[in-house]
Amino acid sequence: MTGSEVPHSFRLAYVPGVTPSKWVRIWNERLPDVPLTLVAVSPGEAFGVLREGGADAGFVRLPVDRTDLSAIPLYTETTVVVVPKDHLVAAAEEVSTEDLADEIVLHPLDDTLVWEQLPGRPAIERPATTADAIELVAAGIGVLVVPQSLARLHHRKDLTYRPVSDAPESRVALSWPQEETTDLVEEFIGIVRGRTVNSTRGRPPTPPQPKAKRKRPETGSGSGSGAQKKTTSGKATGKNPRGGSGGAKAAKGGKSGKPRRRP
């Protein structure tokens, strides 16, 4: 990248309750030259932000309209009921929706749970936001059923929460526009899915390396190849064409063989 080029950026939307810090840290380690900008959105506006190009991808809550958005489900949250610390529910480890039948159960307009039938008794008015509903719970006006991450997000010292065994659950997903699956989106998908930095996805495969040739073992002089073997003195030895040893010295007097018979 030259000094005149402006680096690309990646905009990541996220709804309340989702903590993207782990993925952001990995992104900054792998792509330090590509800044990542977080865009906080409400559950109701998250999909509009993605469709209008306000973010490249986003952590949202299912369901997602798949006609123009892609989504990868990531995890399912536990559903809890938020109550004052001195409430009877606080004495139990877990409750059911039947246990809330006599309670005023607040249903904020930004509720992320899909109910077939709301538990308990409805409030006179629906709170505008989950944060508003938390304030009403603290005032002793009712209880609130939400994903556990939202209960933690709006934690107060005077409130507590307990799991609701048969309540609908919220599922968090990574979503992005179907027609905008860019290289940076693919990179972030890999991070979310736990793909390692050495993964070959999206990279050209390494060409196969040529195999090293095996060296043939050297053959000796007795192999019949006609090659001569050098002695330590550097002189070659070989077979004497007359049948003797070319390297042997003649006997004293220059003669060799059997003695002659005298007549």
Side-chain angles (χ1 to χ4, degrees):
M1 180 180 294
T2 63
S4 61
E5 292 180 347
V6 178
H8 295 288
S9 63
F10 187 76
R11 296 160 300 167
L12 178 65
Y14 68 101
V15 296
V18 177
T19 306
S21 56
K22 176 181 70 174
W23 297 296
V24 172
R25 175 180 55 79
I26 298 174
W27 176 278
N28 291 334
E29 291 174 355
R30 295 187 186 179
L31 291 91
D33 296 330
V34 183
L36 188 151
T37 303
L38 291 174
V39 182
V41 295
S42 68
E45 65 183 1
F47 301 117
V49 169
L50 293 175
R51 290 188 177 102
E52 295 167 7
D56 300 292
F59 291 111
V60 301
R61 295 185 185 274
L62 297 176
V64 172
D65 185 355
R66 305 279 184 138
T67 57
D68 59 346
L69 295 175
S70 298
I72 300 174
L74 299 178
Y75 58 89
T76 301
E77 289 197 71
T78 300
T79 302
V80 301
V81 56
V82 182
V83 298
K85 279 193 172 180
D86 58 355
H87 196 281
L88 290 176
V89 167
E93 293 185 358
E94 184 180 81
V95 298
S96 66
T97 53
E98 291 184 2
D99 296 327
L100 306 177
D102 295 331
E103 303 289 340
I104 294 177
V105 178
L106 302 168
H107 188 211
L109 295 176
D110 63 353
D111 187 13
T112 61
L113 300 174
V114 180
W115 295 93
E116 293 184 3
Q117 183 177 357
L118 290 169
R121 296 181 294 143
I124 297 175
E125 293 183 4
R126 293 183 64 181
T129 65
T130 298
D132 294 335
I134 291 288
E135 295 295 331
L136 294 176
V137 173
I141 295 176
V143 300
L144 175 65
V145 181
V146 291
Q148 184 171 313
S149 65
L150 292 181
R152 290 175 175 172
L153 177 65
H154 299 288
H155 171 71
R156 290 175 51 124
K157 292 183 179 180
D158 55 345
L159 300 180
T160 187
Y161 57 84
R162 295 292 183 269
V164 183
S165 59
D166 56 347
E169 296 173 321
S170 176
R171 301 178 68 195
V172 174
L174 177 67
S175 182
W176 67 95
Q178 287 184 359
E179 297 181 357
E180 297 295 332
T181 309
T182 63
D183 290 342
L184 291 181
V185 171
E186 286 285 1
E187 190 72 31
F188 193 76
I189 291 172
I191 291 174
V192 170
R193 283 181 162 174
R195 198 177 299 148
T196 65
V197 70
N198 295 323
S199 171
T200 57
R201 181 178 175 86
R203 301 176 186 173
T206 303
Q209 300 297 322
K211 294 182 179 180
K213 294 183 179 180
R214 294 180 61 184
K215 294 182 178 180
R216 295 183 179 179
E218 294 182 358
T219 57
S221 60
S223 62
S225 61
Q228 291 184 328
K229 184 178 179 180
K230 291 185 178 181
T231 64
T232 54
S233 63
K235 296 180 179 181
T237 62
K239 199 171 182 181
N240 192 301
R242 294 185 179 180
S245 173
K249 291 184 178 180
K252 190 175 181 180
K255 295 182 181 180
S256 62
K258 295 181 179 181
R260 292 183 179 181
R261 242 184 230 181
R262 292 183 179 182

